[in-house]
Amino acid sequence: MASQVSMGATLQCSFGAAPSSLVVLPKNKVLAEGPPAANIMDHIPLVNIMPFGMCSAPSNPTVAAATTAALGVLTPMPCVPATASPWTPGAPTATIANMPALDNTSKCLCNWGGAVSIVMPATTKTMIP
């Protein structure tokens, strides 16, 4: 059984150097154990998904340019998330603001090739069947 994700959940990108926190604005008017509950549309870079420290994705243009300047030595650059598509798959049995609720098994893909996953959902009791 999956857990509902809410504001303050800990996220990690496969190409990021540090964890980040999910920001959920209270626009959906649904709370989960106190903070606002998330749905799959809470994927907007620098609004919902904050940077992961340094990015080491070779397909990231800033990383590619820095790596080229360093004569081919992989050179991480500051992360700016590029999550254009919603979290998948979400919870098909529960909706928040007419969209699937975000559960802790969902992933969000970055345009540079990273996969953002939920390390800690910020809820401990709210389960989604």
Side-chain angles (χ1 to χ4, degrees):
M1 191 172 282
S3 296
Q4 171 65 48
V5 175
S6 66
M7 168 91 160
T10 304
L11 308 177
Q12 182 63 57
C13 177
S14 56
F15 282 114
S20 180
S21 292
L22 180 68
V23 176
V24 181
L25 303 177
K27 64 182 180 186
N28 297 333
K29 300 177 181 157
V30 175
L31 304 178
E33 298 177 30
N39 69 22
I40 63 166
M41 298 308 289
D42 292 317
H43 69 92
I44 310 301
L46 304 176
V47 172
N48 303 117
I49 299 179
M50 297 298 127
F52 296 95
M54 302 296 278
C55 177
S56 60
S59 58
N60 181 331
T62 60
V63 174
T67 299
T68 300
L71 303 174
V73 177
L74 180 64
T75 306
M77 292 300 288
C79 169
V80 177
T83 50
S85 58
W87 293 86
T88 57
T93 59
T95 60
I96 295 174
N98 295 322
M99 297 302 287
L102 182 59
D103 65 20
N104 65 326
T105 62
S106 298
K107 303 270 188 241
C108 190
L109 300 179
C110 179
N111 292 350
W112 312 133
V116 178
S117 58
I118 299 161
V119 178
M120 211 292 285
T123 59
T124 57
K125 301 174 189 158
T126 309
M127 299 301 198
I128 301 173

